[in-house]
C-alpha cells in the first residue's frame, strides 16, 4: 500500500514530518499512546539523529504507515476535484458586516474564514464577535497544543475579558447591579463565528464568577472611562491565564469541572486577536500565530505589513527577554534546539502550567488524585527547570491606525505561515480579490450592456475562473497544502494531502486556521475626511 | 392581458417535425396556429436572426399576462365571494382524524376544514411530509434565471410576439419596451434539497457565469441586442416533477387532502385549467377530463427520495426544451426496482426502460450490433431497433420467447368467508364467481362506467383472488380498493408485487418448454386457456402458471416466488434452447398486443372510457346477479349507444422506411372531418403495416355536438391519420384482423373470443 503514496511525500517529508519519523517505530507507538502532541517535542532527547535518519526516511514511513493504518483501504487517493473542494470548503464561514455603527458604515466590510484539521480532533480554534457594550469587532485565532482543551477555553473566554476590560465604570456598575439583583445580565458579545461546540457548558457559572471578580476589581480601580484598548488587551490575556492557572489550584467539588480545568491548564494555546473599532486596529499576540495587513499603495503596488512578531526561538527580542528574565547560568538551557527548554516551540502561550508552576506546585496539584492518564495529560518536568515561570501569556500589542490603503487583514495559525510567506499570502488574497471583482460585474455601478457582459463571461469561461474559491481563506489553505517545492500548485499533491489517514495527517501538515478581514476603504476614507 | 402571439423556432428538421405534430393537434382543438417559413418569422419580429432557422410555428392568439395581476384579480374575486385570505400565516401541519382531513394548524391558530389543498409550490413536498401520516408529493426546485433589460432605443411594441427558441434553450418576450429572457439550461442547479433553508434563500444570487450559455444564445438569436443595457438577472426557483407533468388530485392515504403543485415552470399557463379540474374533483369526486397523467397517485413513496428527486429534476428541467422523440426514457433515478434477473438480462444485451421505478427490458441487442450507435439515435422516423424487435416478434410467432414482466402490480385478496368474493363482485364488472383456477379479464369501473383499472383476476381458491394490474396502478388501485372495502370485514388485502418474478413465455412452443420442465400435461385439454395452476417448474415448486400472455399469442405467464426466479429462468432457457427460445422485450410485446387490438389501461383506456366504448361487452356481466359500480351507467349506455368507439386503424399508404412514424395523439379524420385522436400505435410485423388505436367520435357537422357512434358509422367512414401535417389513409377495424389467427389452433381462438367477444 505505501506504493500508492506519491513519490514527493517520501522525498519531501523532511519539512515537518521528519521529526516524527526520526525515532522510527518505537517512538511512534509511544507518540500514539499519548495523543497527538506534535507541538511538544517529546523526542528531544534524541538530538543528532536527524542527519543520519534522512536517507532512510522513506523506509521509516513505510513502516509507520503499515503500522498505523489499520485498514489499508483507507488510502484512497482518487478524490475528484469536486470532492477536494468539498473537503476544503467544509470549514468555511463568511459574513458581511451590514450594520452601521452610529450611522457610520463599519470599517470592516466582511470577513472570510476557514479551517482545515490535521490533528484529530482539531486543536485550532477561531472566534469572531462584536462587543455589544462598546464598539468594536474582535477576531481571534487560537492554536492549541497538547490537546484542544486550552484553545477551546481561551477562545470562549478571552473575548469576554476583553469586552469587560473596555467597559466604562458605568456599564460595569450596571453589570454588577444586575448580578446582585439576579436580573438578566446585559449581553456582552454577539458571536459572528462561535469557537466550536462548547464542552464547558457546565462550568460557565464558575467562569462567570471569575469574570465577575475581574470586573469587581476593575470597579475598584475607579477609572471613569475604563482601560484603554492596549491595556485592556494586555490585562485580559494575563488575567485569563492566571484564572486558568488558579482554577485548577482551587479546590473544586465537582469532579467533572476539576478534570476539565486540569486539562485546560496542562494543555496550551497561543492566541492572536485583533480588535477593530473604526480606524483603530489593535492586534494582541502571544505565541506564533501571525497577523498581517495587505496594503495597496497609491501606485497600485501591494505590500505586506506584519502586525505581530512570532514569539519563538528565531525572534532575537524574545531570546533576550528570556535571558533577561532568567539567571545568566541558564542562558544555554532556556532555549535548546530552538525550543523553550528544549520542549516548546512558542515562548508565549496560555496554559502549559508545566512551564509556569514550580515543581512543588505541580506535584501538589497532581497528587490530589487525578487520573492523568485518562485525562490525556502529559506530565513531565523538563530538564534545567530552575526558575519558573518560563512561559507567559502576556501579549505583545500593536496599534495600527487604519488608512484607506489598508485593504485586508489576515490572521492565521502557524500551520499557514510554516508553508506560506507573508508576501505570498498577500499575493494570493489580492489575486482572489481580483477574481471576485471580475466574478460579479457590479451592475449597479457600471451598467454593462449585454454584449460586454457576454464577452466578459466568455473570457471568464475560457480562463476557467468561475471554478475558483469563493472564500479567500479556502484559497490560502488550498495553496498552503497544494503547493510543491517549486511554488506551483499541484493537484495531485493537494489530493494526497487531503487523503492522508487521520493518524498520519499531522506529520505532513499542521491544523490551519485562517481569517481574512476586508476593510471598507470608503468608510475609512470618510473617517479621515470627516475628521 | 396583451395578445402578442408567440413564435416557436426550429433550428433543425427534427424540431420542425415536433412543431408540426403540435401544430396539427392544436388545430383540431380549435387553437389557430400555422407552420411558417423563416422569412415570415423575420416579418413577425424585427430583431430576430433567422439565418439558421428551418421554420417555425406561429400561434397568433397567445397572450402575455402578469402573474401578479392575475393572482391579485383572483384573490379579490374570491374575497368578494366570501373567501377569507390570511396572509403572513404559515401552515404548520394538517390535522387528520381517521384518514380524513379535519383542519389546519397554523402559526396563528387552528382552522377547521373538510378539504385541504396543498398548493405550496416548491414547499409542497415538505408540507406533505409534515403530516403525521406523510403525503408524498414528489417535486423539487431548481434555480431558474431570467434577464431583464432596460427599454430598447425604440422600445419594443407591446404586441411583439413571444419567441421560444427551444434549440437555443431560451424564451424571449417584451418587457416594458425591453426584453425578458430566460431559459432552461443543460446544467440546472437544484436547490432546497434539504427543505426550506433560510440560508439558501438569502444566497439566491444572480449567477452570470451560469447564465452565459443562455445569454450567448440570446445574442445569437438577436444580435442587435448587444448594446442593450442590463437591468438585472433574476433568480427565481421553479418546481419540477419527476415526469415533467404537474401533480394534482387527492392523496391516496388522507381523504380530503388535495394537491396542486409542481407546475414545471408553466404555473401561469396551466393554472386556470388545473384549478378548474381540481375544483371539479373536489365537488364532484372526479374531474371532467381524464387527467391520470397528472394524478398524484401515479407516484408512490418510491419517488419520494430527496436524492432521487434532486437527480431527476436535473434531467427534467433541460428536457423542457429538449427535443422529445418517441419512446425516450429518463436516464436519471434508474435501477431502483429491478427483477432478480436484471443482471442476467443486462448481460445478454437488454436495453431498459423504466416504469414506476421498475426496470423493464425494451429489447435485446444481439452481440454483433454496435451498441453505442443504437443508444444515441433520436428520430421521428424508423428507429434502428426495428430489425431487432422484428426478430423478437418473429420468434414469438414461430417458436417461444421469454419476457420478464415482473413490474406488474400484483395484489392478493383473501377473506375468512365469502367477503372477498362479495367485495370483488361489487368492484368488478365481470363475473368473478367462476370455478377455482379460472382467470377473468375485467375492468374496475367507476360510477360513470369508466375504467379505474383494467386487470386480470385469478381465483386461487374459493376465498382468495390474485389480481394483476398495470405497473403504475400500485398506488391508485390500492387506494381505490381501500376506499371501497368495508373497514371491519375480515378481508386481507396484500400487495405482493415484490414477492413474485413474472416471466411471460410467448409462442407456440411455450407449451413444450413447460411440459418438459414440469412433467405435467399442458395440452389445451388439461390446461385450457385463461387458467391458473400452481405447479412445479424444474426443481421449484409452487409456481403459478397462467395460460395467458397479455398479447393474444399462445403461451403462459409464470409467477415465480423471487427466490426461485433465477433457477426457473435458467431452466426455461436451457430447456428452451432446442425450441429456439430467446429473450424479448416490451417493444415486441407492444407490437404483438396492438396488432391484436389489445387496449392498455393508461394509454388507450382511462377513467372516462367504458367497456362498451372499446368493444369489451363480453368482459361485462350486467346480469351477474348483483349490482356493481358503474352498472347503471353501462345499462344506460347500452340503451342509448356510445359516443365514441375505440377503433383500430391500419395505415395503408404509409412507407415505414421513409415516412414519419405515428406515435400517439395524432388527429384522426373521418371523411375529411376531425373525428378523434390516436392513443397508441405500433408497427405490426405480421401485417407489415402500422397499426394505430384511437377513439372515433361523431361530431355533428353543424353544431360540433357529439352524437352516437355505431358500428355502421365506423365502418362506413374513410379515414386518414395526420402525422405532423401529413395525412395517411387508414382502414378502420372494430375487431382484430382475423387473418392473424387463421394459422392458430382452435383453442387459441377460444381464448381470443373470450377476450374480445364476437
Amino acid at each position: 500500500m505505501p506504493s500508492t503514496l506519491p513519490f514527493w511525500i517520501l522525498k519531501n517529508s523532511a519539512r515537518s514530518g521528519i521529526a516524527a519519523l526520526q525515532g522510527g517505530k518505537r517512538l511512534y507507538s509511544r507518540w500514539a499512546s499519548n495523543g497527538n502532541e506534535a507541538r511538544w517535542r517529546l523526542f528531544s532527547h534524541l538530538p543528532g539523529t536527524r542527519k543520519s535518519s534522512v536517507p532512510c526516511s522513506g523506509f521509516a514511513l513505510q513502516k509507520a504507515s503499515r503500522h498505523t493504518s489499520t485498514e489499508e483501504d483507507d488510502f484512497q487517493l482518487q478524490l475528484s476535484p469536486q470532492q477536494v473542494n468539498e473537503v476544503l470548503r467544509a470549514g468555511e464561514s463568511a459574513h458581511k458586516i451590514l450594520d452601521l455603527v452610529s450611522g457610520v458604515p463599519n470599517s470592516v466590510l466582511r470577513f472570510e474564514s476557514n479551517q482545515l484539521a490535521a490533528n484529530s480532533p482539531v486543536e485550532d480554534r477561531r472566534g469572531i464577535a462584536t462587543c455589544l457594550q462598546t464598539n468594536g469587532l474582535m477576531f481571534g485565532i487560537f492554536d492549541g497544543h497538547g490537546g484542544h482543551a486550552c484553545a477551546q477555553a481561551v477562545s470562549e473566554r478571552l473575548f469576554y475579558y476583553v469586552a469587560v476590560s473596555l467597559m466604562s465604570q458605568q456599564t460595569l456598575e450596571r453589570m454588577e447591579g444586575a448580578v446582585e439583583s439576579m436580573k438578566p445580565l446585559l449581553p456582552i458579545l454577539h458571536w459572528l463565528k462561535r469557537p466550536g461546540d462548547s464542552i464547558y457548558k457546565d462550568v460557565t457559572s464558575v467562569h462567570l464568577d471569575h469574570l465577575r471578580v475581574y470586573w469587581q476589581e476593575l470597579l475598584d480601580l475607579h477609572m471613569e472611562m475604563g482601560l484603554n484598548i492596549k491595556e485592556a488587551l494586555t490585562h485580559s490575556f494575563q488575567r485569563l491565564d492566571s484564572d486558568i492557572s488558579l482554577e485548577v489550584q482551587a479546590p473544586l467539588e465537582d469532579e467533572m469541572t476539576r478534570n476539565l480545568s486540569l486539562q485546560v491548564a496542562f494543555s496550551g494555546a497561543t492566541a492572536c486577536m485583533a480588535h477593530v473599532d473604526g480606524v483603530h486596529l489593535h492586534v494582541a499576540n502571544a505565541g506564533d500565530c501571525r497577523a498581517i495587513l495587505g496594503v495597496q499603495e497609491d501606485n497600485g503596488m501591494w505590500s505586506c505589513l506584519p502586525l505581530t512578531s512570532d514569539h519563538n526561538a528565531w525572534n532575537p527580542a524574545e531570546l533576550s527577554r528570556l535571558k533577561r528574565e532568567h539567571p545568566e547560568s541558564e542562558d544555554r538551557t532556556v532555549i535548546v534546539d530552538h525550543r523553550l527548554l528544549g520542549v516548546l516551540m512558542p515562548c508565549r502561550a496560555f496554559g502549559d502550567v508545566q512551564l509556569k508552576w514550580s515543581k512543588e506546585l505541580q506535584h501538589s496539584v497532581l497528587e490530589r488524585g487525578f487520573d492523568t492518564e485518562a485525562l490525556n495529560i502529559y506530565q513531565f518536568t523538563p530538564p534545567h527547570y530552575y526558575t519558573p515561570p518560563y512561559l507567559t501569556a502576556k501579549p505583545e500589542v500593536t496599534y495600527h491606525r487604519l488608512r484607506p490603503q489598508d485593504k485586508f487583514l489576515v490572521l492565521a495559525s502557524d500551520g499557514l505561515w510554516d508553508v506560506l510567506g507573508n508576501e505570498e499570502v498577500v499575493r494570493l488574497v489580492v489575486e482572489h480579490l481580483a477574481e471576485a471583482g471580475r466574478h460579479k460585474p457590479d451592475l449597479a455601478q457600471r451598467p454593462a450592456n449585454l454584449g460586454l457582459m457576454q464577452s466578459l463571461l466568455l473570457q471568464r469561461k475560457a480562463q476557467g475562473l468561475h471554478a475558483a474559491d469563493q472564500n479567500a481563506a479556502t484559497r490560502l489553505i488550498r495553496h498552503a497544502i497544494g503547493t510543491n517545492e517549486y511554488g506551483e500548485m499541484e493537484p495531485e499533491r493537494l489530493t494526497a494531502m487531503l487523503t492522508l489517514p487521520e493518524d498520519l495527517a499531522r506529520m505532513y501538515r499542521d491544523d490551519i486556521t485562517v481569517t481574512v478581514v476586508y476593510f471598507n476603504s470608503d468608510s475609512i476614507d470618510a473617517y479621515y475626511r470627516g475628521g | 392581458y396583451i395578445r402578442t402571439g408567440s413564435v416557436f423556432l426550429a433550428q433543425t428538421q427534427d424540431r420542425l417535425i415536433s412543431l408540426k405534430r403540435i401544430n396539427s393537434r392544436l388545430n383540431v382543438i380549435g387553437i389557430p396556429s400555422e407552420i411558417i417559413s423563416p422569412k415570415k418569422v423575420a416579418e413577425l419580429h424585427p430583431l430576430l436572426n433567422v439565418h439558421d432557422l428551418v421554420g417555425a410555428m406561429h400561434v397568433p392568439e397567445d397572450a402575455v399576462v402578469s402573474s401578479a395581476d392575475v393572482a391579485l384579480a383572483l384573490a379579490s374575486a374570491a374575497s368578494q365571494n366570501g373567501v377569507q385570505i390570511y396572509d403572513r400565516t404559515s401552515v404548520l401541519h394538517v390535522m387528520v382524524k381517521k384518514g380524513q382531513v379535519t383542519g389546519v394548524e397554523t402559526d396563528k391558530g387552528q382552522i377547521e376544514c373538510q378539504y385541504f389543498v396543498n398548493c405550496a409550490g416548491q414547499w409542497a413536498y415538505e408540507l406533505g411530509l409534515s403530516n403525521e401520516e406523510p403525503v408524498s408529493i414528489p417535486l423539487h426546485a431548481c434555480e431558474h434565471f431570467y434577464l431583464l433589460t432596460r427599454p430598447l432605443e425604440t422600445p419594443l411594441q407591446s404586441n411583439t410576439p413571444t419567441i421560444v427558441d427551444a434549440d437555443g434553450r431560451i424564451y424571449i418576450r417584451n418587457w416594458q419596451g425591453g426584453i425578458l429572457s430566460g431559459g432552461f439550461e443543460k446544467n440546472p442547479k437544484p436547490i432546497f434539497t434539504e427543505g426550506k433553508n433560510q440560508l439558501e434563500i438569502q444566497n439566491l444570487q444572480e449567477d452570470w457565469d451560469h447564465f452565459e450559455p443562455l445569454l450567448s444564445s440570446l445574442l445569437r438569436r438577436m444580435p442587435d441586442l448587444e448594446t442593450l443595457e442590463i437591468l438585472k438577472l433574476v433568480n427565481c426557483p421553479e418546481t419540477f416533477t419527476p415526469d415533467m407533468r404537474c401533480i394534482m388530485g387527492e392523496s391516496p392515504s388522507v381523504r380530503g387532502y388535495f394537491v396542486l403543485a409542481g407546475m414545471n415552470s408553466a404555473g401561469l399557463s396551466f393554472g386556470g385549467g388545473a384549478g378548474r379540474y381540481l375544483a371539479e374533483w373536489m365537488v364532484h369526486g372526479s374531474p371532467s377530463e381524464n387527467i391520470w397523467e397528472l394524478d398524484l397517485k401515479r407516484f408512490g413513496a418510491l419517488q419520494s427520495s430527496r436524492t432521487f428527486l434532486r437527480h431527476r429534476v436535473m434531467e427534467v428541467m433541460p428536457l423542457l426544451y429538449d427535443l422529445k422523440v418517441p419512446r425516450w426514457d429518463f436516464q436519471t433515478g434508474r435501477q431502483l426496482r429491478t427483477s432478480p434477473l436484471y443482471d442476467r438480462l443486462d448481460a445478454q444485451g437488454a436495453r431498459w426502460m423504466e416504469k414506476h421505478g421498475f426496470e423493464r427490458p425494451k429489447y435485446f441487442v444481439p452481440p454483433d450490433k454496435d451498441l453505442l450507435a443504437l443508444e444515441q439515435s433520436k428520430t421521428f422516423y424508423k428507429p434502428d431497433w426495428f430489425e431487432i424487435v422484428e426478430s423478437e416478434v418473429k420468434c414469438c410467432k414461430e417458436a417461444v420467447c421469454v419476457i420478464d414482466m415482473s413490474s406488474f402490480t400484483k395484489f392478493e385478496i383473501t377473506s375468512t368467508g365469502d367477503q372477498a368474493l362479495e367485495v370483488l363482485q361489487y368492484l368488478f364488472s365481470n363475473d368473478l364467481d367462476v370455478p377455482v383456477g379460472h382467470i377473468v379479464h375485467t375492468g374496475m369501473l367507476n360510477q360513470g362506467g369508466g375504467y379505474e383499472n383494467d386487470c386480470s383476476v385469478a381465483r386461487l381458491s374459493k376465498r382468495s383472488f390474485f389480481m394483476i394490474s398495470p405497473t403504475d396502478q400500485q398506488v391508485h388501485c390500492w387506494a381505490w380498493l381501500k376506499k371501497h372495502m368495508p373497514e371491519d370485514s375480515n378481508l386481507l388485502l396484500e400487495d405482493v408485487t415484490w414477492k413474485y418474478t413474472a416471466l411471460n413465455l410467448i409462442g407456440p412452443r411455450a407449451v413444450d418448454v413447460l411440459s418438459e420442465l414440469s412433467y405435467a400435461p399442458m395440452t389445451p385439454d388439461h390446461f385450457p386457456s385463461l387458467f391458473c395452476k400452481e405447479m412445479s417448474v424444474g426443481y421449484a415448486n409452487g409456481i403459478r402458471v397462467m395460460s395467458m400472455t397479455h398479447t393474444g399469442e399462445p403461451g403462459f405467464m409464470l409467477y415465480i416466488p423471487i427466490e426461485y426466479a433465477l433457477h426457473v429462468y435458467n431452466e426455461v432457457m436451457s430447456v428452451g434452447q432446442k425450441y429456439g427460445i430467446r429473450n424479448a422485450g416490451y417493444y415486441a410485446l407492444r407490437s404483438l398486443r396492438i396488432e391484436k387490438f389489445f387496449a392498455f389501461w393508461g394509454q388507450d383506456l382511462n377513467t372516462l372510457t367504458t367497456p362498451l366504448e372499446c368493444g369489451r361487452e363480453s368482459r361485462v356481466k350486467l346480469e351477474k346477479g348483483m349490482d356493481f359500480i358503474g352498472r347503471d351507467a353501462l345499462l344506460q349506455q347500452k340503451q342509448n349507444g356510445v359516443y365514441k368507439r375505440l377503433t383500430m386503424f391500419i395505415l395503408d399508404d404509409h412507407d415505414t422506411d421513409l415516412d414519419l412514424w405515428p406515435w400517439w395523439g395524432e388527429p384522426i379524420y373521418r371523411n375529411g372531418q376531425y373525428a378523434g385522436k390516436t392513443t397508441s400505435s405500433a408497427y405490426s410485423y405480421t401485417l407489415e403495416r402500422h397499426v394505430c388505436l384511437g377513439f372515433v367520435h361523431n361530431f355533428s357537422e353543424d353544431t360540433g355536438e357529439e352524437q352516437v357512434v355505431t358500428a355502421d358509422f365506423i365502418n362506413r367512414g374513410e379515414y386518414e391519420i395526420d402525422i405532423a401535417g401529413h395525412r395517411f389513409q387508414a382502414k378502420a377495424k372494430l375487431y382484430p384482423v382475423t387473418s392473424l389467427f387463421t394459422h392458430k389452433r382452435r383453442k387459441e381462438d377460444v381464448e381470443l373470443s373470450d377476450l374480445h367477444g364476437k
Side-chain angles (χ1 to χ4, degrees), chain A residues 127 153 193 207 212 218 228 319 329 352 421 486 491:
Chain A
K193 171 71 195 165
H207 290 171
R212 188 179 167 200
L218 286 173
N228 70 35
L319 281 179
S329 55
D352 288 333
Y486 309 110

Side-chain angles (χ1 to χ4, degrees), chain B residues 27 30 63 72 77 80 84 111 137 236 262 376 435 444 454 462 517 520 522 559 570 573 578 621 692 710 722:
Chain B
N27 286 336
L72 263 176
Q80 276 163 22
Q84 271 181 292
I111 301 172
I137 304 162
C236 163
Q376 285 165 352
M444 198 164 76
D454 182 33
K462 278 208 106 51
L517 278 170
M522 301 295 289
Y559 284 89
N570 288 342
M573 289 311 269
K578 57 174 171 284
K621 292 276 160 20
C692 303
T710 60
D722 177 337

Side-chain angles (χ1 to χ4, degrees), chain B residues 31-58:
Chain B
I31 296 173
S33 68
E34 58 173 337
I35 297 295
I36 56 176
S37 67
K39 211 173 140 196
K40 188 81 194 305
V41 175
E43 286 167 26
L44 283 167
H45 200 300
L47 296 170
L48 279 182
N49 164 24
V50 296
H51 298 302
D52 55 349
L53 298 183
V54 296
M57 178 174 74
H58 181 217

Side-chain angles (χ1 to χ4, degrees), chain A residues 439 449-451 458 460-461, chain B residues 209 212 216 219 226 228 230:
Chain A
H439 191 72
N449 68 34
L450 291 177
L458 287 174
R460 293 170 43 68
K461 192 173 168 187
Chain B
D209 286 313
E212 180 274 318
S216 297
L219 290 177
E226 275 205 356
L228 192 57
I230 297 164

Side-chain angles (χ1 to χ4, degrees), chain B residues 672-708:
Chain B
Q673 202 196 351
Y674 172 66
K677 274 186 281 188
T678 61
T679 51
S680 58
S681 68
Y683 182 81
S684 161
Y685 294 92
T686 325
L687 299 171
E688 294 177 335
R689 287 272 176 277
H690 260 288
V691 177
C692 303
L693 306 185
F695 283 96
V696 174
H697 301 251
N698 180 2
F699 298 110
S700 154
E701 265 179 61
D702 312 321
T703 59
E705 208 180 325
E706 283 196 60
Q707 296 167 328
V708 169

Side-chain angles (χ1 to χ4, degrees), chain A residues 439-441 443 447-454 457-458 460-461 466, chain B residues 147 149 205-206 208-209 212 215-216 218-219 225-230:
Chain A
H439 191 72
K440 267 192 212 112
L443 297 176
N449 68 34
L450 291 177
L452 290 175
M453 177 64 86
Q454 185 197 20
L457 294 175
L458 287 174
R460 293 170 43 68
K461 192 173 168 187
H466 53 285
Chain B
L147 170 76
T149 72
Q205 284 165 351
E206 46 187 35
W208 280 100
D209 286 313
E212 180 274 318
L215 178 62
S216 297
L218 170 66
L219 290 177
L225 295 187
E226 275 205 356
T227 53
L228 192 57
E229 276 182 33
I230 297 164

Side-chain angles (χ1 to χ4, degrees), chain B residues 549-566:
Chain B
T549 59
H550 300 280
T551 57
E553 299 294 328
F556 300 89
M557 285 293 304
L558 271 51
Y559 284 89
I560 310 156
I562 50 168
E563 66 267 39
Y564 299 142
L566 202 58

